[in-house]
Amino acid sequence: MPSVRMRLWIGLAAIAALGFAWAFSPHAIEVDAAYVTREDMIVTVSDDGMTRVRDVFVLSAPLDGTMSRVEVEPGDQVTAEETVVSTIRPLLPPLLPARTTAQLKSNISSAEAALTAARADAERYRAEHNRLKRDLDRAKKLLESATVSQQAVDNAEAAEREGYLALRSSEALIGVRRQELAAARAALMPSETQNGSDMIAVIAPLSGQILTVNRESEGPIAQGTPIVEIGDLGSLECVADFLSEEAVRVKPGDPVTFTDWGGEPLPGRVRRVEPAGFTKVSALGIEEQRVNIVMDLNDPAARQNLGHGYRFVANIAVWEGTNRLVVPMSALFRDADGWAVYVVANGRAEWRGVSVGHTNRNYAEILDGVTEGTRVIVHPPRQLESGAKIKVRSETKAKRSPETTLTGAR
């Protein structure tokens, strides 16, 4: 009969053998599962956008000068052809050096002398014209008495006509000399001669609201410098630039939901997909072709909470399906050129190939391979294989009306 010590060693060996057998035997893998359900499904494309007034008018300085302080502020209402935004005083003439002043005074003296000469010439031509008129009258009287010939009368008429034209030319030259004298005097006009009547009023060209004040303080301003921007917030629209591969799926009239603007989601509609794209560099430095999509809010009252240049996220519904078989996207994995899932069957994982329809970030439409009510494993572990023993840790169901985004364009 074995001794007590021997029996002890036999018992320890049996325990060790059982421990090794338990340690190296396959264990059930803990997994999470979800049910395949039938739900309504909405597929959207999303991207950031901004609100804008449809027609923004930039009021600029009409001339160089000194602008007074702008009294209007952003949000103020303005009336077309009535509201004065600011006033501009034209630039004052610069101070003249002594040499330039002497030259300008000399020009004035020359202009005065030329005007005097022109007046003298006009008097001379007037006297000559009067003499020729008398000669013509005398020739006509002598013609009646046949003292002179008709040719003499014709010569007198021609001389009188030439004298008249010379007089008219001299009188016109007086007007030229007067203007030259006025220009010479204006060049020497001192700056102090300008007064308040020289102020130019900058008036709002249309009714609306002041959106932006580009220049507020008084000071010199150049012609064409923007002063304020005016627009009508009643014509507010929304615009977002989408990747061109997403924009081709969008059509005018598609429903839009505006989110992340600071309040409850707002409904809207796509009004226009612009026909031309443009290149934009992403935050990662990648060049992307993007297209502007213009949208409108369904409720005009919602515009009261928004302004020009407010940010939002536009979620455009590009496809809708009812009573679709859906499964969480986290349950799918690639298998060759197709998709597959692990199905929970009798405590084990069973590989199942599936046909996928519309996919998005969170859910997928199943066309074939699984049926409603089937439990599938979500986030399957790497060590999981078909036929492996599993233990379901938690179960979830697909959410009602999963509205998700196709790509991570935001």
Side-chain angles (χ1 to χ4, degrees), residues 271-326:
R271 174 156 52 89
R272 182 177 71 252
V273 179
E274 294 189 353
F278 57 92
T279 302
K280 182 178 181 180
V281 180
S282 69
L284 299 177
I286 301 173
E287 290 188 353
E288 300 173 338
Q289 287 302 117
R290 291 188 166 264
V291 177
N292 280 333
I293 296 180
V294 182
M295 299 153 285
D296 293 318
L297 293 165
N298 288 347
D299 185 8
R303 299 171 183 169
Q304 300 176 359
N305 300 322
L306 297 170
H308 180 65
Y310 283 33
R311 176 191 173 274
F312 60 84
V313 175
N315 307 281
I316 304 176
V318 296
W319 179 86
E320 295 185 25
T322 58
N323 197 29
R324 300 287 176 166
L325 199 64
V326 296

Side-chain angles (χ1 to χ4, degrees), residues 164-331:
Y164 173 74
L165 295 177
L167 175 61
R168 292 289 304 275
S169 176
S170 64
E171 290 175 346
L173 184 61
I174 291 176
V176 173
R177 300 308 180 194
R178 283 199 188 102
Q179 296 303 320
E180 291 177 350
L181 177 59
R185 289 173 175 171
L188 196 61
M189 183 183 296
S191 304
E192 291 77 8
T193 57
Q194 290 190 351
N195 51 45
S197 62
D198 297 324
M199 302 292 286
I200 305 298
V202 182
I203 303 175
L206 75 159
S207 299
Q209 282 184 287
I210 300 295
L211 302 178
T212 306
V213 177
N214 303 102
R215 171 68 183 273
E216 183 178 6
S217 300
E218 179 179 359
I221 190 170
Q223 182 180 9
T225 302
I227 301 176
V228 296
E229 294 181 6
I230 304 174
D232 181 11
L233 290 179
S235 63
L236 200 67
E237 63 184 10
C238 306
V239 61
D241 56 336
F242 284 78
L243 292 171
S244 57
E245 56 265 32
E246 295 179 351
V248 296
R249 307 185 62 191
V250 180
K251 315 181 293 296
D254 284 347
V256 186
T257 302
F258 300 102
T259 59
D260 297 339
W261 62 273
E264 295 296 324
L266 300 175
R269 291 280 175 182
V270 174
R271 174 156 52 89
R272 182 177 71 252
V273 179
E274 294 189 353
F278 57 92
T279 302
K280 182 178 181 180
V281 180
S282 69
L284 299 177
I286 301 173
E287 290 188 353
E288 300 173 338
Q289 287 302 117
R290 291 188 166 264
V291 177
N292 280 333
I293 296 180
V294 182
M295 299 153 285
D296 293 318
L297 293 165
N298 288 347
D299 185 8
R303 299 171 183 169
Q304 300 176 359
N305 300 322
L306 297 170
H308 180 65
Y310 283 33
R311 176 191 173 274
F312 60 84
V313 175
N315 307 281
I316 304 176
V318 296
W319 179 86
E320 295 185 25
T322 58
N323 197 29
R324 300 287 176 166
L325 199 64
V326 296
V327 67
M329 194 68 183
S330 56

Side-chain angles (χ1 to χ4, degrees), residues 333-347:
F333 60 89
R334 277 291 183 181
D335 182 67
D337 294 333
W339 293 95
V341 295
Y342 281 120
V343 175
V344 178
N346 300 321

Side-chain angles (χ1 to χ4, degrees), residues 374-404:
T374 303
R375 286 195 303 173
V376 295
I377 298 174
V378 295
H379 302 292
R382 288 187 177 182
Q383 68 271 24
L384 186 63
E385 297 179 354
S386 182
K389 189 176 181 181
I390 59 173
K391 179 182 178 181
V392 177
R393 181 169 44 202
S394 62
E395 294 179 346
T396 57
K397 288 187 177 182
K399 294 181 181 179
R400 187 69 181 171
S401 298
E403 183 176 340
T404 53

